[in-house]
Amino acid sequence: MPELRIDPLSGLKVIVAGERGSRPGAFLDVNARAPIDPETDPFAAGHEDRTPPEVYALRDNGSWRVRVVPNLYPALSPGEADDAGDPLAAGRGEPDLFASQPALGAHEVIVNAPDPVSSLAELSPEQVEAAMSVWRERMREHSGSAYVHVIVNEGKEAGASLPHTHAQLYALPFVPAAVARERERFTAYSDRTQGRNLLEDLLQEEVRRRERIVAIDDEAVALCPFGARVPFHLQIVPRRPAARFSDDGPLGGRLLHDTLSRLGAALSTLPPLNMWVRTAPRDAQRFCWRIEILPRLSQLAGLEIGTGVHLNVLAPEDAAERLRAASV
C-alpha cells in the first residue's frame, strides 16, 4: 500500500507508492549524454579568454585543475546586504505588501576540471576531491553571507546551460525557508535529547538497519533517505558530524564518485540530476552538512508543484538494493 512518510530532517511529507512505478510512463527513458565539442567548450583548458577573469584557481605545475570565475549572467549583484525579513511575518500596522530590495551577494562558477566531460562521474576520484576542496575554499571565502549554497546541475533537463562539469556558488543575503526549517529541527532535537545531533543519530540508525544504505567508506555513508522525494534520491553524509561543509575534515569525494558511478550503472547511463551541499547557515552550530542528489527521472506534476508533497514511485529501500548490486 502507498505509505506517507515524514522526512526527519525537513519535516516534509512524502508519499511512497512503489506500485505506481510499474504503470506506463512512470519513468522517463534515460538518454546517453552527447559528447562535448572541445572547440566550442568555454570551460575547456585553453579557452580561458572565453570566461570572465578568474577569481581563484587550483594549479598543478602551472596548469589549472579547478578554476573559479564570476557567473557571466549572475542571479545576484556584487555586494553585501542584510536580510530585511518578511514584512508580514511580525509587527503591527500596515505592512508593505510589495516588499523588495536589491539582490546582492555573489554568484560564482566553479569549473570542476579542465577535461571536457559532462559529469563528476567521468572524472577520477582524485579530481572530484580536488573540485570539492575548491567548493569548500570558496564557501569559506563567503562565510560572512547569511547562507552559501553550492549546486551542481548535470544535464539540460536539470538546468545545465553548459554541459562541461561545473558547480555554482550562491552567497545569499538571507537564509532560505527550507534551510531555516532544518535549522529549527536540528536545534529542537538537540534540546530534546540533551545535545545530540539529529543527522548523526539518524545515520547511526540507518547503518544499524541497513535497509537504505548504498555504500560506506572511511569518510562518509551513501544512502537513499527514508523520505526520498524521487526515485534514486541519494544523500552523502559524513561519518563524523560537522556543522558546515567548509569545516575542516573529510569531503566525501571518493564516495560521491562511487555513488554516481553506481547510479549510472544501475540505469545503464547517468541521468540528468541536481546536486547540492546542505550546510549550516551563518552562526548556526547544531547542524550537520550533507550532499543531496536528485536524479531527474520523472516529471513534477500538480501534486508536487501545488502542495510541495512529492510522490515517489520507487521505494528508497528498493532503490538502495539496486544501487548496492550495481557493478562499478
Side-chain angles (χ1 to χ4, degrees):
M1 293 182 62
E3 189 175 38
L4 183 64
R5 299 185 178 187
I6 299 176
D7 176 27
L9 299 176
S10 68
L12 297 177
K13 293 180 173 64
V14 175
I15 298 172
V16 177
E19 291 298 319
R20 290 177 60 84
S22 59
R23 78 192 197 283
F27 287 90
L28 297 178
D29 293 331
V30 181
N31 298 318
R33 300 180 189 179
I36 299 174
D37 179 4
E39 293 303 316
T40 61
D41 181 5
F43 291 159
H47 294 171
E48 290 79 9
D49 59 338
R50 303 186 191 181
T51 70
E54 69 184 41
V55 295
Y56 182 88
L58 180 64
R59 286 188 161 79
D60 185 16
N61 296 324
S63 300
W64 65 269
R65 295 183 64 193
V66 185
R67 190 166 177 263
V68 184
V69 299
N71 194 297
L72 189 60
Y73 304 100
L76 299 161
S77 299
E80 296 184 5
D82 294 328
D83 184 3
D86 183 352
L88 295 179
R92 300 175 62 87
E94 291 293 327
D96 183 356
L97 297 179
F98 302 101
S100 68
Q101 65 184 85
L104 301 179
H107 188 185
E108 297 179 347
V109 174
I110 304 170
V111 185
N112 292 320
D115 314 74
V117 298
S118 62
S119 176
L120 290 167
E122 297 176 75
L123 302 174
S124 68
E126 294 78 14
Q127 183 63 33
V128 172
E129 286 187 321
M132 293 175 72
S133 73
V134 175
W135 303 355
R136 169 176 283 177
E137 180 61 32
R138 296 312 295 171
M139 292 176 85
R140 288 171 174 165
E141 179 68 21
H142 297 285
S143 60
S145 300
Y147 190 70
V148 183
H149 191 51
V150 171
I151 68 168
V152 175
N153 299 330
E154 292 191 1
K156 186 176 181 180
E157 298 85 348
S161 56
L162 291 171
H164 189 126
T165 177
H166 65 284
Q168 295 182 68
L169 179 147
Y170 298 83
L172 299 171
F174 61 93
V175 178
V179 180
R181 178 198 295 259
E182 290 188 17
R183 176 183 59 192
E184 292 167 1
R185 292 179 71 84
F186 270 88
T187 300
Y189 185 85
S190 179
D191 291 343
R192 182 174 180 175
T193 60
Q194 289 75 52
R196 300 211 308 264
N197 184 282
L198 173 57
L199 188 49
E200 181 182 21
D201 283 4
L202 181 62
L203 182 61
Q204 289 178 355
E205 185 62 16
E206 288 283 18
V207 171
R208 187 186 71 81
R209 297 190 181 200
R210 296 278 172 170
E211 296 173 306
R212 290 174 290 271
I213 297 299
V214 174
I216 301 175
D217 69 6
D218 292 340
E219 294 187 349
V221 177
L223 58 92
C224 295
F226 173 73
R229 286 183 263 172
V230 298
F232 295 104
H233 180 176
L234 287 153
Q235 292 177 344
I236 308 294
V237 181
R239 293 182 64 172
R240 289 169 292 280
R244 291 171 181 78
F245 185 75
S246 55
D247 293 342
D248 290 333
L251 293 161
R254 290 180 180 271
L255 188 60
L256 174 60
H257 183 273
D258 173 84
T259 302
L260 292 175
S261 299
R262 287 177 183 273
L263 180 62
L267 296 170
S268 299
T269 188
L270 199 63
L273 59 87
N274 298 109
M275 179 189 318
W276 63 88
V277 178
R278 176 68 86 233
T279 189
R282 183 181 60 198
D283 301 330
Q285 295 301 326
R286 289 182 283 187
F287 207 85
C288 179
W289 70 263
R290 66 186 187 277
I291 295 172
E292 297 271 354
I293 305 167
L294 266 68
R296 290 293 192 95
L297 291 166
S298 57
Q299 296 283 359
L300 297 182
L303 177 68
E304 292 87 353
I305 297 171
T307 68
V309 177
H310 281 254
L311 175 58
N312 186 356
V313 300
L314 179 66
E317 294 79 11
D318 295 336
E321 184 178 5
R322 296 187 194 188
L323 291 168
R324 287 194 299 269
S327 300
V328 295

